């Protein structure tokens, strides 16, 4: 069976790891109804952050599930995903990315609302 060159495999993994962050970013912008223009650098940076959060949430869910299954709660577990396992797990990663985007949108909308609402003046009139 023919193997992909290492550079092609690394490129595929890089793209697959960046897409969840971009999905999180776009979900947050759409769900929060934000009118922002991000530069390419900002999009890339927030996509990396979103991917890191999405991958971390999925990994810790896996580690917790394995801990429940085996009775040994180990924080760092080795994961060696082949192509078939990656294809099966990737939709779950994208679903986690959408949830991360929705949570971020809700948090940003809440903070925007908290900062825009007028605060009552509690000072006594002199």
């Amino acid at each position: 069976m023919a193997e992909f060159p290492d550079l092609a495999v690394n490129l595929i993994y890089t793209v697959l790891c960046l897409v969840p962050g971009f999905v999180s970013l776009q979900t947050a912008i759409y769900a929060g109804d934000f009118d922002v223009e991000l530069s390419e650098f900002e999009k890339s940076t927030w996509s990396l952050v979103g991917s890191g959060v999405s991958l971390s949430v999925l990994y810790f869910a896996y580690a917790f599930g394995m801990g429940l299954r085996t009775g040994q709660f180990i924080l760092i577990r080795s994961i060696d995903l082949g192509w078939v396992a990656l294809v099966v797990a990737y939709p779950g990663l994208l679903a986690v990315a959408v949830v991360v985007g929705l949570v971020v949108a809700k948090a940003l909308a809440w903070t925007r609302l908290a900062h825009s609402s007028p605060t009552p003046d509690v000072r006594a009139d002199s």
Side-chain angles (χ1 to χ4, degrees):
M1 181 173 186
E3 293 283 327
F4 283 114
D6 286 339
L7 181 61
V9 171
N10 288 338
L11 182 63
I12 291 169
Y13 277 127
T14 301
V15 169
L16 290 177
C17 285
L18 285 176
V19 168
F22 187 73
V23 168
S24 292
L25 176 64
Q26 293 303 316
T27 302
I29 290 172
Y30 179 76
D33 197 26
F34 299 116
D35 187 24
V36 293
E37 280 297 321
L38 299 175
S39 68
E40 292 299 318
F41 175 76
E42 291 169 328
K43 282 182 188 175
S44 299
T45 302
W46 287 115
S47 292
L48 282 172
V49 170
S51 290
V53 170
S54 299
L55 286 166
S56 295
V57 166
L58 191 62
Y59 170 78
F60 286 120
Y62 167 77
F64 183 74
M66 289 300 290
L68 287 176
R69 195 172 125 216
T70 63
Q72 296 177 340
F73 289 95
I74 302 170
L75 187 59
I76 300 174
R77 294 186 175 270
S78 177
I79 298 177
D80 187 20
L81 289 178
W83 284 104
V84 174
L86 181 64
V87 168
V88 170
Y90 200 71
L93 178 59
L94 292 178
V96 169
V98 169
V99 170
V100 167
L102 291 173
V103 168
V104 167
K106 191 71 163 172
L108 289 176
W110 180 72
T111 56
R112 181 173 55 177
L113 180 66
H115 287 293
S116 66
S117 65
T119 56
D121 190 11
V122 293
R123 290 179 281 160
D125 293 318
S126 300

